[in-house]
Amino acid sequence: MNPRERNRLLQAAEGYFSSGNQGLARLSLESLVAADASSSRAFELLGYVYGNEGRADEAHRCLTKACQLPRATPEAWYYLGVSCLKQREPEPAIRAFDRALALAGPFFEALHDRGTAYSLLGKSASALDSYARASKFRPDSFDLVFNIGKVYDEVKDLRNALVYYDRALALDPGVADVWAHRGAVFYDLERYAEAIADWERALSIDPCVDFLRGFLLHARMRICDWRGWRAERDDLLARVQRGENACGPFEMLAFSSDEEQQSSTARRWVEANFAGPQAAVAFERGARDRIRVAYFSADFRHHAVAYLTAEIYELHDRERFEIFGFALSKADRDDAMRARLARAFDHFVEVDELTASEIASRARGLGIDIAVDLGGHTKGSRTAIFGQRVAPVQVNYLGFPGTMGAHFIDYIIADETTIPDPSRHAYAEKVVHLPECFQPSDTRRPIASAGVSRSAFGLPADGFVFCCFNSTYKITPDAFAGWMRILGAVPASCLWLLAGGEQMEANLRREAAAAGVAPDRLVFAGRVAADEYLARLRLADLFLDTLPFNAGTTANDALFAGLPVLTCPGNAFAARMAASLLHALDLLELIAASGAEYEAKAIALAQRPAELDRIKARLAQKRAAKPLFDMPRYTRHLEAAYEEMLRRRQEGLAPDHIRVPRAPWPPT
């Protein structure tokens, strides 16, 4: 086609396009590029037409072609960047925006969208720099102000996040997403009443904000505000059953012990927040004797997960294993647990400032054989790292007591109690059964030996002390009502709970009074040092567990300190944790088959001190004679699981359920 004819057809197509006649513009442009594929402008316009028609892939192809040809306009480069962003490809988007800026000079749209691309990559400093340059053009742009707030939110600069969310709401108070984000900041700051108010406002604007109903109900549980709780919980579960994105996977653990509901919730969370299947990654192991295991956690610090796992890292067999710790968050400089963990690993890699892609690349470069996610769907976790496949074997372990619902996690560490064989179908991962208990213990944790007395904590000197130091979001109205019936049947008793702020304590005292129990029979325990916390548990007589979200680390702490734990298991991993520990100790009399039996057992043990003393004596004996607190044995079992996972991989076999054989007891 000669240049004159091409220009004539291009001008006609541009006329159709500018007049809004998309159909004729498309026909003209398709004919033009079929006859002459040398016009950047033709491909650019055709990309716009396809984009307007919702044909995103074809639009992207045309814009890419336009930018490969001579004389591509700044607009073509800019819209190619926009197309890359829509396809969640931030790196090529940044290159396209940079080219547009080089050709046209600084302009708001390219600077703003480049900031968004940097934000998607996790490069917060570059995102803020690009947004700052954009603000010189439109400082009062709602999108710009909101996006700056989100970057500060992402890096947990919560003060600045609030400043920009407030500015965004001043510019437009009718956007549900801003209220939802500001509520999340208040939640992180433990200002739960303000979080609740913001999330209610968000849902009043848009009743379908993804996962927000679950966050809202969870925040109410944080302060034990149960007004309308049952109706809201039932509505939430009904929405989940209908396939709505109504609840996140962590929050669901506190609302239901239905494994199917937990599984579908986790799967939808992964689908909504993480990319689909990645390109296949080739792993070349090379010739080496030791298996490289990497543990990934945001909780390598003073945290429950660290207190359970620290001894494992110290005990791993260094002749067979090389152990890496990838720290996803910083810790306080004087955090003794962080220092201990850094010494325990062969390699302690701090990656909190790296993007998910950078972390994945580093792990692959180190030749990791097995990547262990200790966070799952909990605060600070970086699931996107595993979505990029950092190792040939990837494992969900300990931090999240449920399925990840992700195609890229191969195994979950459990036992026959937490995931019995009939339940395996509800877990996206293949189930690894450790022979005694899924949960490790740090037997080297010290227990304070002096200065701990009932009077120091406001407890009665002679009365019976029921105790539950579970997080407040695990306490349901049904659990609390049962506790009040127990207190009613044991007059000289009190209930010792973990402090949760003035609102929470006032709400529980009000509920107690409504149940006919004197509010002062509730005693609240503040936070103390770890060794004093363990010693403090010995002041109680009986630990009362919660359902559907059991005590995990807290149950381990209680049993380690010598305090019996009474539980009633449910129908999911998180609802069977305490029962697993009690099975490992052969203390089956502390496992109730129903809520009524749970209450009857609690009352009977309070009224029969000799029976309770017998159980405490058995606990003390079994603490030494049963394998729950034998960490060398536990570590060997875990290592056997790792070896079998890798063996299957090396032999070209797909992941499958694994049952680790029980080592002889007592050990030889």
Side-chain angles (χ1 to χ4, degrees), residues 293-318 323-327 335-338 340-346 348 372-376 395-400 413 434 437-445 552-554 556-557 560 628-632 634-636 638-639 642:
V293 178
Y295 293 91
F296 292 75
S297 180
D299 301 318
F300 288 144
R301 55 188 173 86
H302 176 67
H303 185 275
V305 169
Y307 280 106
L308 289 177
T309 57
E311 198 171 347
I312 293 176
Y313 316 135
E314 295 165 340
L315 290 172
H316 269 307
D317 183 349
R318 281 348 197 243
I323 307 301
F324 296 72
F326 278 73
D335 190 315
M337 177 55 76
R338 177 72 156 215
R340 177 184 171 188
L341 295 174
R343 293 191 302 268
F345 289 104
D346 296 315
F348 192 66
V372 182
D373 182 6
L374 289 169
V395 183
N396 170 18
Y397 176 44
L398 195 65
F400 181 72
I413 303 293
L434 297 185
C437 183
F438 78 99
Q439 191 184 80
S441 309
D442 177 19
T443 61
R444 299 173 183 176
R445 48 192 152 162
T553 307
T554 312
N556 189 297
D557 290 336
F560 184 71
L628 179 63
F629 296 109
D630 183 341
M631 282 303 96
Y634 180 94
T635 306
R636 298 294 87 79
L638 184 62
E639 290 172 344
Y642 290 158

Side-chain angles (χ1 to χ4, degrees), residues 26-264:
R26 174 169 41 76
L27 290 173
S28 298
L29 290 165
E30 287 174 340
S31 298
L32 177 55
V33 300
D36 184 349
S38 65
S39 172
S40 173
R41 179 61 175 166
F43 279 105
E44 177 186 343
L45 286 173
L46 188 55
Y48 299 158
V49 170
Y50 284 148
N52 290 339
E53 293 177 345
R55 297 161 66 177
D57 290 343
E58 291 163 283
H60 186 77
R61 176 179 55 80
C62 287
L63 289 167
T64 300
K65 180 67 175 178
C67 291
Q68 291 170 343
L69 293 168
R71 296 184 295 279
T73 67
E75 291 81 7
W77 282 105
Y78 168 70
Y79 282 107
L80 176 60
V82 171
S83 178
C84 289
L85 274 185
K86 289 180 179 178
Q87 297 195 350
R88 299 191 71 81
E89 296 179 348
E91 290 170 320
I94 290 168
R95 292 193 291 271
F97 294 138
D98 283 344
R99 184 62 178 156
L101 291 165
L103 291 171
F107 64 102
F108 174 81
E109 290 81 3
L111 289 167
H112 173 271
D113 291 358
R114 187 179 67 170
T116 301
Y118 276 124
S119 179
L120 286 173
L121 280 174
K123 294 183 177 291
S124 56
S126 297
L128 290 172
D129 176 72
S130 201
Y131 284 146
R133 293 176 63 190
S135 69
K136 295 176 182 178
F137 295 91
R138 298 182 197 168
D140 291 330
S141 161
F142 169 83
D143 288 338
L144 174 66
V145 171
F146 184 24
N147 285 334
I148 292 173
K150 287 192 281 188
V151 174
Y152 281 123
D153 194 347
E154 184 68 25
V155 299
K156 296 308 172 187
D157 183 347
L158 302 184
R159 183 184 64 83
N160 272 319
L162 282 179
V163 168
Y164 280 91
Y165 289 157
D166 287 345
R167 282 187 57 191
L169 290 172
L171 290 167
D172 187 349
V175 179
D177 206 24
V178 189
W179 292 102
H181 275 78
R182 195 178 74 163
V185 172
F186 285 136
Y187 187 92
D188 283 346
L189 291 169
E190 299 184 5
R191 293 161 60 175
Y192 299 119
E194 291 163 286
I196 289 166
D198 274 12
W199 286 342
E200 287 176 336
R201 180 70 177 270
L203 289 170
S204 73
I205 297 169
D206 179 1
C208 298
V209 178
D210 275 357
F211 308 109
L212 192 54
R213 291 182 184 275
F215 297 153
L216 173 59
L217 190 55
H218 206 259
R220 289 188 175 137
M221 292 182 73
R222 283 280 190 181
I223 58 173
C224 299
D225 180 357
W226 299 324
R227 291 170 293 184
W229 183 87
R230 187 163 285 99
E232 286 192 39
R233 193 273 312 270
D234 291 348
D235 174 68
L236 181 74
L237 297 182
R239 290 174 181 273
V240 168
Q241 197 69 28
R242 292 197 297 268
E244 296 181 26
N245 289 346
C247 186
F250 178 75
E251 290 72 28
M252 179 58 73
L253 302 182
F255 303 144
S256 169
S257 66
D258 185 317
E259 289 170 312
E260 301 287 354
Q261 288 179 327
Q262 292 184 7
S263 179
S264 62

